[in-house]
Amino acid sequence: MPVGAVVVDAAGQVIGEGANAREGSGDPTAHAEIVALRAAARHTGAWRLPDCTLVVTLEPCVMCAGAIVAARVRTLVIGAWDPKAGACGSVWDLVRDSRANHWVEVIGALDEAGCGDVLREFFRERRG
């Protein structure tokens, strides 16, 4: 699935990158966001990423939203909403839930058409 993510630090430097790797790795947690957060944590040497921004092509799912909150990411930038499984503002809004121990600023749907087109084309080709 063509979903990508990058973690950017306060200086604007990319400190973590990720692409969806579930099929290739056989790891159900290898979503782009998780891969990017893990890379950023390795880069900084810390699991907390409070001054970082996560940029993703597709709105994160419930698992990834939980990881974003757990990592204390400051800002989430979303290319396109996920109306089926999104957990950051469309179906659910876990990253801004008042019951959580951390809240994330969300900037959504920056390139709804472009990101959506890439995903639609991917699934069109898979269906044959």
Side-chain angles (χ1 to χ4, degrees):
M1 188 165 169
V3 175
V6 294
V7 178
V8 180
D9 68 12
Q13 178 185 353
V14 173
I15 60 169
E17 299 178 1
N20 189 310
R22 288 187 308 171
E23 294 298 325
S25 68
D27 178 355
T29 69
H31 289 202
E33 300 91 332
I34 302 295
V35 173
L37 289 170
R38 287 176 179 160
R42 278 192 305 274
H43 178 84
T44 64
W47 62 266
R48 289 182 186 91
L49 303 169
D51 296 321
C52 294
T53 297
L54 176 64
V55 182
V56 298
T57 55
L58 183 66
E59 179 184 6
C61 69
V62 171
M63 175 185 67
C64 294
I68 292 164
V69 170
R72 312 298 197 271
V73 170
R74 175 172 293 170
T75 305
L76 171 64
V77 178
I78 299 169
W81 296 114
D82 183 348
K84 293 181 181 179
C88 299
S90 63
V91 180
W92 298 283
D93 197 353
L94 301 179
V95 297
R96 294 180 288 194
D97 190 307
S98 63
R99 297 166 292 185
N101 62 340
H102 174 74
W103 304 279
V104 179
E105 174 189 13
V106 176
I107 301 168
L110 286 187
D111 188 12
E112 190 81 35
C115 292
D117 286 348
V118 168
L119 290 163
R120 280 187 288 280
E121 182 59 28
F122 171 78
F123 286 112
R124 189 178 303 119
E125 288 178 9
R126 289 200 72 187
R127 288 185 206 109

